Amino acid sequence: TKQSSFATSDIRNCTTSSPFLPPTVTNTSSQLNALRQRMQFYNISAYIIPATDAHMSEYIAERDARLAWISGFTGSAGTGVVTTKKAALWTDSRYWIQAERQMDCNWELQKIVWTDSIGEWLLQEIPAGENIGLDPFLFSIDLWNSYAHVLQGSSRTLVPIEDNLVDLVWGSQRPPLPTSEIYLLPETFTGSTWQEKVSGIRSQMEQHSRSPTAVLLSALEETAWLFNLRGDDISYNPVFYSYALLTTSDISLFVDRNRLSAEALQSLSALCPGPLCVQVEEYDQVRASVQAYAQGDVRVWIGTEYTTYGLYGVIPQDKLVESSYSPVMTTKAVKNTKEQALLKAAHVRDAVAMIQYLLWLEKNVPKGSVNEFSGARYVDKLRRSEHCRGASFETISASGLNAALAHYSPSNVSSRKLSVDEMYLLDSGGQYLDGTTDITRTVHWGEPTPFQKEAYTRVLMGNIDLARLVFPSETSGRMVEAFARQALWKVGLNYGHGTGHGIGNFLSVHEWPVGFQTKNVPLVKGMFTSIEPGYYQEGEFGIRIEDVALVVEAQTKAYLTFEVVSLVPYDRNLIDISFLSEDQYLNTYYETIRQRVGPELQRRQLEEEYEWLRRNTQPFSRGTLVATSLGTLAITSLVSTLLPDRQA
């Protein structure tokens, strides 16, 4: 009954003669009509629209939110295809319900995300002999090749159109280019000078078997990290529109020069002329400059994951040196000793904000005075203290059934009230000058059901199992990812998102190429990654526990393990200690929290928060807590009773 009511009130229904559309839906008829007129002018029968920008960014500026403008769908991952008669969106399971809430009946939702599935759909919808258009500056090399492979031999032609058709239709309504200042990150918050970083990348060029003469940088966080510069062109991400071409003797930074602060300009030109002198060129001149450079006796090193087909196409094949990630991206992923210390310090301050928030919730949720939106705004406010520049992503504050949506974010239009009778999931983080944070805690202030309690405990077990794992150096994250799922798998449960991602020093909250997915690089000492297993019961509740951990040396020689740097206790009310094989890990972790966060709370004279910390980090005692779990039913019987048809 609960799920049925949820569906009819929040999700579109396009199957009836009078379709039901919730108030969160965007009417896209006029946008689609205008786009189809442009398609006719360019003689194409389909147009592919990705949810990214010219730098392959995961999070994008409003002016690059083309898929959101044309479809109404605002999720961070998705691909739209518009034909002369149809419009379809492909996205993964994190966003299926969100898409049904936001798209009108002009759009159909496709729940298979692979490029092959988009290609097969195009082959069915587009007759042979016709053209399929896309913007070559919005597709990576690999993705372009994937589409080309699917369409090969089909008599359908993939046509690059440099004039973005959505931009042409969007016209003057499209948000303008940013004008805010690009600033120099103080030396206190950098691991090394930009000159040292450039010298390190040049050393890698010299040592490479093909001796590249240049490295082309396209990802926004690459140029921000390399030159110790920051901006705010994309919400929650301290980056700015830019490219860089680093050669063995010259450095070109393609950016709006007028936006660089005086301090930033002075830093870039301090050693001019010479090999450590940065020449600032206009942002939109990058393609012409790369094309001109590629005419000589050169070899250009690129990372194929972040270089667009539009730039790739101007470099002759015999002059390309290709790897999945540029040397800047892989170097940035391994933090040096100073960067590690900075990121750990940021997590101490972040823990203070989270503890303040959890205490505030304990006081105010029983009064009925907190909803998802006001809670999200309050925790964001609490973080705005020492060195903090705001949130690291849009806060996920989800109560009850909304927590079953892995990437739900509340609004002031539709926001559920927090209740002591429901689960509450908070996934949030801060952008501090010394580090980026990301943490998730799930809590329940009342009486959780035995099913909820055991599901939570098994998610916690997965978090602990992976965090305590000892593994050989250079082990791929995907090889150990199953340790976070095994406690859930044992009883037929699972989750549909990744288990973790890299994280930056005042940069992207999702920092590739670190993590546990197929395309992530092997884990080495000095990398930071999140560990975030979960479980989601659609229409009822959601659970996720996320910590950031540093890859460190284990006591076993030449082996590695993780050091958890997130420092917030888990919800004792949801832990069934009888399921944990050992409780010493939690006690050791809680002692670490008291030692690192306790002094900071006292320094700020947050005595009530300090007492909350002491209460919530008391050592677990199996003998005293087993009695509280005697009435807990085995989850296997619960699954068979409550979820007889569930597929893990």
Side-chain angles (χ1 to χ4, degrees):
T1 304
K2 189 179 294 184
Q3 288 179 333
S4 174
S5 172
F6 172 67
T8 56
S9 61
D10 289 84
I11 294 175
R12 65 178 183 165
N13 183 355
C14 299
T15 62
T16 59
S17 56
S18 297
F20 170 75
L21 297 176
T24 49
V25 156
T26 299
N27 186 331
T28 62
S29 296
S30 61
Q31 295 99 302
L32 289 171
N33 288 336
L35 177 60
R36 284 170 176 142
Q37 291 178 18
R38 292 284 182 174
M39 290 165 56
Q40 186 176 12
F41 177 80
Y42 282 87
N43 190 32
I44 58 173
S45 299
Y47 192 62
I48 307 175
I49 308 161
T52 189
D53 59 15
H55 304 272
M56 301 292 99
S57 305
E58 178 187 10
Y59 296 102
I60 56 177
E62 288 186 12
R63 68 179 276 105
D64 291 317
R66 300 173 179 91
L67 183 59
W69 184 79
I70 199 73
S71 71
F73 170 70
T74 61
S76 65
T79 301
V81 178
V82 177
T83 72
T84 55
K85 296 180 180 179
K86 288 186 177 182
L89 173 86
W90 284 258
T91 189
D92 61 58
S93 60
R94 296 173 299 167
Y95 296 110
W96 289 345
I97 294 177
Q98 179 178 338
E100 297 284 12
R101 286 177 169 182
Q102 294 182 319
M103 296 192 306
D104 63 11
C105 292
N106 286 312
W107 289 82
E108 59 183 56
L109 176 62
Q110 300 287 335
K111 296 184 176 182
I112 303 175
V113 297
W114 308 114
T115 304
D116 285 356
S117 69
I118 302 176
E120 290 168 4
W121 188 89
L122 285 166
L123 291 175
Q124 292 176 356
E125 298 294 332
I126 306 303
E130 299 193 6
N131 298 325
I132 298 166
L134 46 69
D135 182 343
F137 291 96
L138 296 182
F139 288 81
S140 69
I141 301 160
D142 292 343
L143 189 55
W144 175 282
N145 289 336
S146 295
Y147 280 109
H149 177 74
V150 172
L151 298 174
Q152 189 175 12
S154 70
S155 300
R156 295 161 181 84
T157 305
L158 203 59
V159 180
I161 302 174
E162 294 183 15
D163 295 322
N164 188 281
L165 302 193
V166 175
D167 292 352
L168 294 178
V169 173
W170 208 346
S172 61
Q173 295 180 356
R174 186 185 179 206
L177 285 164
T179 58
S180 57
E181 185 178 75
I182 299 168
Y183 56 95
L184 183 69
L185 192 61
E187 187 175 337
T188 306
F189 301 110
T190 62
S192 50
T193 67
W194 71 258
Q195 291 92 341
E196 290 169 335
K197 294 177 180 179
V198 165
S199 297
I201 300 304
R202 282 175 169 162
S203 294
Q204 292 186 50
M205 293 164 64
E206 292 174 4
Q207 295 164 12
H208 194 286
S209 60
R210 293 194 58 196
S211 301
T213 61
V215 175
L216 175 61
L217 304 178
S218 296
L220 299 184
E221 59 190 69
E222 291 180 313
T223 51
W225 177 85
L226 183 63
F227 297 110
N228 291 333
L229 300 175
R230 298 294 188 270
D232 60 0
D233 292 7
I234 297 177
S235 297
Y236 310 111
N237 294 265
V239 296
F240 50 93
Y241 286 119
S242 57
Y243 295 93
L245 185 66
L246 170 63
T247 77
T248 52
S249 57
D250 299 292
I251 310 168
S252 295
L253 174 63
F254 300 88
V255 68
D256 183 349
R257 183 187 186 92
N258 295 326
R259 297 178 55 203
L260 291 166
S261 70
E263 190 179 20
L265 276 171
Q266 195 280 328
S267 172
L268 297 173
S269 61
L271 297 178
C272 291
L276 290 174
C277 168
V278 179
Q279 301 293 330
V280 178
E281 302 186 39
E282 287 303 313
Y283 171 79
D284 58 7
Q285 291 300 306
V286 61
R287 189 186 189 201
S289 293
V290 170
Q291 188 171 27
Y293 177 79
Q295 301 307 307
D297 181 18
V298 298
R299 290 164 301 284
V300 183
W301 192 356
I302 63 169
T304 57
E305 288 290 325
Y306 287 89
T307 305
T308 66
Y309 188 79
L311 282 179
Y312 173 82
V314 303
I315 306 172
Q317 286 291 314
D318 62 338
K319 297 180 180 181
L320 279 166
V321 178
E322 299 181 36
S323 56
S324 295
Y325 305 101
S326 78
V328 169
M329 195 67 86
T330 54
T331 302
K332 174 172 58 65
V334 182
K335 316 308 186 201
N336 63 29
T337 303
K338 183 180 178 183
E339 289 169 325
Q340 293 174 27
L342 288 168
L343 200 45
K344 287 181 180 181
H347 278 84
V348 171
R349 293 193 302 279
D350 199 68
V352 170
M354 282 291 293
I355 289 168
Q356 288 179 289
Y357 182 61
L358 291 170
L359 174 60
W360 180 79
L361 288 176
E362 281 187 10
K363 291 180 176 180
N364 291 283
V365 170
K367 301 176 184 177
S369 59
V370 184
N371 62 37
E372 294 167 331
F373 185 75
S374 66
R377 298 290 78 80
Y378 190 68
V379 74
D380 290 347
K381 177 183 176 182
L382 287 172
R383 280 195 168 89
R384 286 189 173 275
S385 59
E386 189 178 8
H387 303 323
C388 188
R389 292 298 183 94
S392 57
F393 57 97
E394 186 175 7
T395 296
I396 298 170
S397 172
S399 177
L401 53 84
N402 283 341
L405 308 177
H407 284 69
Y408 167 85
S409 292
S411 71
N412 57 1
V413 176
S414 59
S415 180
R416 299 184 80 249
K417 184 174 290 187
L418 272 58
S419 166
V420 295
D421 299 320
E422 291 186 322
M423 290 261 203
Y424 174 64
L425 186 156
L426 179 82
D427 186 346
S428 65
Q431 285 289 11
Y432 301 88
L433 292 175
D434 43 0
T436 303
T437 67
D438 184 6
I439 187 170
T440 307
R441 290 294 182 264
T442 305
V443 296
H444 195 303
W445 300 280
E447 291 293 332
T449 67
F451 178 59
Q452 291 174 330
K453 197 166 182 178
E454 187 172 350
Y456 177 93
T457 305
R458 288 187 177 276
V459 171
L460 176 59
M461 290 164 65
N463 183 291
I464 293 172
D465 287 343
L466 186 52
R468 297 181 70 187
L469 188 67
V470 176
F471 52 93
S473 183
E474 298 287 334
T475 296
S476 172
R478 66 184 177 86
M479 299 297 292
V480 299
E481 192 259 5
F483 284 91
R485 299 180 186 266
Q486 63 178 347
L488 290 165
W489 283 353
K490 285 180 180 178
V491 292
L493 303 180
N494 202 1
Y495 53 94
H497 55 73
T499 295
H501 54 79
I503 195 161
N505 281 88
F506 190 38
L507 274 172
S508 299
V509 71
H510 294 164
E511 184 176 83
W512 281 76
V514 179
F516 300 97
Q517 299 181 53
T518 302
K519 290 188 176 182
N520 292 130
V521 295
L523 296 167
V524 299
K525 178 184 173 182
M527 290 179 171
F528 283 86
T529 180
S530 70
I531 299 175
E532 49 180 303
Y535 173 70
Y536 309 90
Q537 180 63 40
E538 185 176 340
E540 295 185 24
F541 65 88
I543 299 164
R544 184 161 64 253
I545 299 173
E546 177 184 16
D547 292 312
V548 172
L550 169 64
V551 181
V552 297
E553 289 182 348
Q555 292 183 348
T556 307
K557 186 176 181 181
Y559 278 61
L560 302 174
T561 188
F562 294 105
E563 175 191 344
V564 175
V565 300
S566 299
L567 299 168
V568 179
Y570 310 118
D571 185 17
R572 299 176 82 93
N573 192 35
L574 282 166
I575 298 175
D576 188 335
I577 201 73
S578 69
F579 287 101
L580 301 180
S581 58
E582 297 180 17
D583 60 358
Q584 189 57 45
Y585 171 83
L586 286 177
N587 291 343
T588 303
Y589 175 53
Y590 281 3
E591 177 62 27
T592 300
I593 293 176
R594 287 195 297 274
Q595 291 178 356
R596 295 185 183 176
V597 182
E600 180 67 11
L601 290 170
Q602 291 180 311
R603 184 183 73 83
R604 298 195 198 182
Q605 298 183 333
L606 297 172
E607 295 303 327
E608 194 173 4
E609 286 79 0
Y610 180 72
E611 287 305 314
W612 183 96
L613 175 66
R614 284 173 54 85
R615 285 196 313 272
N616 284 276
T617 56
Q618 287 298 309
F620 284 92
S621 170
R622 183 178 297 276
T624 58
L625 293 180
V626 163
T628 66
S629 61
L630 289 178
T632 302
L633 298 175
I635 201 168
T636 49
S637 63
L638 278 169
V639 171
S640 62
T641 301
L642 300 176
L643 308 171
D645 300 320
R646 179 172 181 82
Q647 297 293 318

